[in-house]
Amino acid sequence: MWFYDKKTQYPIKITKPDPRMAIAILTQYGGPNGELAASLRYLSQRFSMPTKEAKATLNDIGTEELAHLEMIGTMVHQLMDKVPPKELEKLHVDTNYVIHGRAVYPSDSNGVPFTAAYIESMEDPIANLNEDLAAEEKARATYDYLINIADDPDVIDPLRFLREREVVHYQRFGETLRIVQETMGRKKFY
Amino acid sequence: MDNLNIATVYTGNNCTGEPIMIPVMPIRPELARAYVPYQLYNKIFSPQESLKKGTVFPELVK
Amino acid sequence: MDEQTTLLEQIMAYDFALYDLQLFLNTHPSDTNALRDYKMALEQSENLRRQYQSKYGPLTARYLPNTTCWQWINDPWPWNNKEV
């Protein structure tokens, strides 16, 4: 189970609203390479992980992704908060507004709702870990694209932080794959 | 890189289980397998610097 | 930056370093240098948390600073921007 800590993993204080950037970042909330997909992927796959190192890694990275989901939700909220509807219309983000208002809803930037079809969970740990490496790399690329179109340092800094976490997670999944390869090669399971 | 191939990491937990020895890169890599080098522990950033960078490990800043 | 935010960001820094070390230790459970650094950061984080909670209220619901008022619900929540 989990306990809640009343803080974000990285400080987020956005003072300049930017609804277009909010909608761009929204894809990391409920899009194909987003944090919700990441968390559900790892937390579901952990049940079929064969070694103690692999169980811990999937459990703890899956947990950290929930903290990232909270960071992304916070950014979307702060970028949209209190922006007048007429302003949203001018910026062409009014289609999102007429469906959800200024709420945070798990969809991608085009409004496509979150779906579990974005993830896979198989009994084969090698297949799962290869998917996880790819997922981290795709999320890293998405953060690169977001950083390319952002110009407020209050937005760029947390995006850079999240991008770096993808690199670290890639390394840990890579090490986990090495352990699973070693132990399966010896036909020995924990 | 040569000495990296010899360096090994003991992933097993000394307290509860049998250690597994894993070289930084596999000594006999197999075809159709993906391998990431196993990280060795070096100097780490201060907590404040870590938060700014997104990791405590300088060698993982990419 | 006010004193509360400064202290909270210090806690974030220590907790973050702890989490990154935790992920490292999951794949290197016998690394005594990493274990030593983890222990040092953990002690610092716990000190800072004690300081923060006694001054500004709970960071986790399992903390009761006084018995007349349930302070867990107090603003700000992490997604609220205090300056807006």
Side-chain angles (χ1 to χ4, degrees):
Chain A
M1 76 157 292
W2 283 266
F3 289 105
Y4 186 73
D5 226 14
K6 210 171 171 177
K7 63 173 168 52
T8 46
Q9 192 185 26
Y10 181 95
I12 294 169
K13 278 170 301 198
I14 298 167
T15 47
K16 222 174 87 207
D18 183 349
R20 294 199 61 189
M21 198 64 213
I23 299 299
I25 291 174
L26 184 63
T27 197
Q28 285 309 82
Y29 198 77
N33 306 310
E35 303 291 352
L36 180 60
S39 182
L40 285 180
R41 178 183 297 115
Y42 310 144
L43 292 179
S44 301
Q45 291 177 354
R46 72 190 158 144
F47 297 108
S48 43
M49 282 294 148
T51 78
K52 55 190 186 315
E53 294 87 354
K55 290 173 207 175
T57 297
L58 278 274
N59 186 74
D60 294 352
I61 295 180
T63 299
E64 188 182 346
E65 306 294 11
L66 285 177
H68 296 171
L69 182 71
E70 180 181 47
M71 282 179 63
I72 292 291
T74 299
M75 293 177 82
V76 173
H77 168 69
Q78 292 185 2
L79 286 165
M80 280 284 240
D81 199 26
K82 299 186 185 89
V83 177
K86 281 285 173 201
E87 187 72 17
L88 297 173
E89 189 209 336
K90 254 187 267 166
L91 294 165
H92 306 291
V93 295
D94 50 338
T95 48
N96 195 278
Y97 173 75
V98 298
I99 303 170
H100 305 292
R102 284 161 292 201
V104 179
Y105 176 80
S107 75
D108 72 11
S109 304
N110 294 321
V112 180
F114 178 79
T115 164
Y118 293 148
I119 70 165
E120 180 55 285
S121 177
M122 302 189 83
E123 193 181 338
D124 186 320
I126 306 256
N128 283 338
L129 288 165
N130 275 281
E131 175 186 344
D132 301 344
L133 290 166
E136 294 294 333
E137 210 53 52
K138 287 187 282 181
R140 196 266 312 144
T142 307
Y143 283 116
D144 275 332
Y145 303 150
L146 287 170
I147 290 163
N148 287 345
I149 64 167
D151 40 39
D152 179 357
D154 292 343
V155 173
I156 294 172
D157 290 349
L159 291 176
R160 283 219 181 102
F161 172 89
L162 290 166
R163 180 195 173 282
E164 176 58 29
R165 295 313 292 155
E166 310 298 337
V167 177
V168 175
H169 292 172
Y170 186 97
Q171 176 64 28
R172 299 298 161 241
F173 284 131
E175 289 165 349
T176 305
L177 179 59
R178 293 284 307 282
I179 297 173
V180 173
Q181 287 165 339
E182 281 289 313
T183 53
M184 285 180 86
R186 295 189 210 163
K187 300 267 177 287
K188 198 167 75 182
F189 289 85
Y190 288 99
Chain B
M1 284 302 276
D2 282 318
N3 60 336
L4 278 188
N5 284 334
I6 302 156
T8 53
V9 182
Y10 295 84
T11 69
N13 187 332
N14 284 340
C15 312
T16 58
E18 196 187 316
I20 323 165
M21 202 177 74
I22 296 189
V24 168
M25 280 306 269
I27 293 154
R28 273 189 217 86
E30 284 178 41
L31 292 174
R33 280 272 167 264
Y35 301 104
V36 169
Y38 225 93
Q39 190 185 347
L40 299 173
Y41 199 74
N42 293 309
K43 285 255 178 303
I44 59 168
F45 289 130
S46 73
Q48 291 74 17
E49 192 66 13
S50 302
L51 189 66
K52 247 184 256 164
K53 293 270 177 17
T55 180
V56 300
F57 302 105
E59 61 272 44
L60 278 178
V61 177
K62 285 185 191 299
Chain C
M1 202 156 50
D2 61 40
E3 203 187 317
Q4 181 178 359
T5 313
T6 309
L7 191 51
L8 188 62
E9 290 195 3
Q10 270 181 289
I11 296 170
M12 282 179 183
Y14 277 94
D15 284 1
F16 172 66
L18 281 170
Y19 212 87
D20 211 16
L21 287 170
Q22 176 180 338
L23 296 185
F24 179 89
L25 283 161
N26 284 343
T27 52
H28 305 69
S30 336
D31 193 306
T32 48
N33 291 325
L35 284 163
R36 177 206 57 211
D37 290 344
Y38 186 90
K39 184 169 181 275
M40 275 168 21
L42 182 62
E43 284 162 4
Q44 273 303 316
S45 166
E46 282 178 349
N47 282 338
L48 291 166
R49 271 173 183 271
R50 228 168 302 157
Q51 263 183 59
Y52 183 95
Q53 296 193 122
S54 66
K55 274 191 182 160
Y56 306 112
L59 278 171
T60 62
R62 289 160 64 97
Y63 179 87
L64 195 59
N66 76 56
T67 48
T68 53
C69 168
W70 182 244
Q71 292 185 43
W72 171 243
I73 61 169
N74 289 1
D75 283 327
W77 283 83
W79 51 89
N80 296 142
N81 195 335
K82 278 203 293 180
E83 283 141 67
V84 172

